[in-house]
Amino acid sequence: MADQVQVRHPASAIFLLHVALEIPVAVQGLLAPTALPFLQMTNTTLVIMKLYSALVAGSCAAALLCYGLPEFLPGKRALGIGLCIYHLTCSTVLYYAPRIIPMSLGIQAETYGVTPEVVWGTLHGLLGLGLAVWWQITVQMAQIVQKMQ
């Protein structure tokens, strides 16, 4: 029974999806923040972008390291719920943000309100939902181990 609990659940792939969504912004924000496609970048926003990129790079490293850990470890579960809150907050912020990315997905998309900010917000929302699902489907694994102790 204990050996079954040690197995990583396939839903842990959500941690890798976090890395896939965030690492491009983290790398470009650290190496070339002026090349990011954002409007009205000032010296202040460039510094904040670099700080944010460092934070995101750290969360990517933590997610990559936690991916291989068993589901019942408190640290993995804490990171999972923290990333869930982060992605759901990012989703809300991006949905209500003014246009900050000077790109268009075409006239048809713009007609339906599909902007880069909305797409980015949707991806964050899906990751937040995925992390909540991961939490729920692995909670029994954590409870089993807790009862065994």
Side-chain angles (χ1 to χ4, degrees):
M1 183 86 144
D3 291 335
Q4 290 177 347
V5 176
Q6 294 286 343
V7 176
R8 179 180 57 239
H9 195 280
S12 280
I14 197 71
F15 287 91
L16 299 179
L17 291 175
H18 164 76
V19 174
L21 180 65
E22 298 294 342
I23 204 68
V25 173
V27 170
Q28 189 166 0
L30 286 170
L31 299 178
T34 56
L36 286 166
F38 295 134
L39 294 172
Q40 301 175 357
M41 294 287 273
T42 65
N43 288 339
T44 303
T45 55
L46 287 172
V47 169
I48 291 172
M49 190 67 218
K50 283 186 176 187
L51 292 171
Y52 169 74
S53 296
L55 181 64
V56 169
S59 76
C60 288
L64 195 57
L65 292 170
C66 279
Y67 164 70
L69 296 175
E71 309 306 322
F72 61 84
L73 291 177
K76 183 173 186 175
R77 300 196 68 73
L79 178 65
I81 203 69
L83 290 176
C84 180
I85 293 167
Y86 164 75
H87 283 292
L88 294 176
T89 303
C90 285
S91 179
T92 303
V93 168
L94 287 166
Y95 276 141
Y96 292 104
R99 292 298 301 264
I100 59 169
I101 302 172
M103 301 166 89
S104 176
L105 301 174
I107 295 171
Q108 185 90 16
E110 293 282 337
T111 304
Y112 291 106
V114 179
T115 63
E117 294 83 2
V118 169
V119 171
W120 199 13
T122 300
L123 292 172
H124 276 288
L126 290 171
L127 265 175
L129 176 63
L131 285 154
V133 167
W134 166 82
W135 178 275
Q136 286 301 312
I137 63 177
T138 61
V139 75
Q140 284 184 328
M141 296 170 85
Q143 289 172 343
I144 289 169
V145 171
Q146 190 176 32
K147 287 178 185 179
M148 291 171 51
Q149 294 175 350

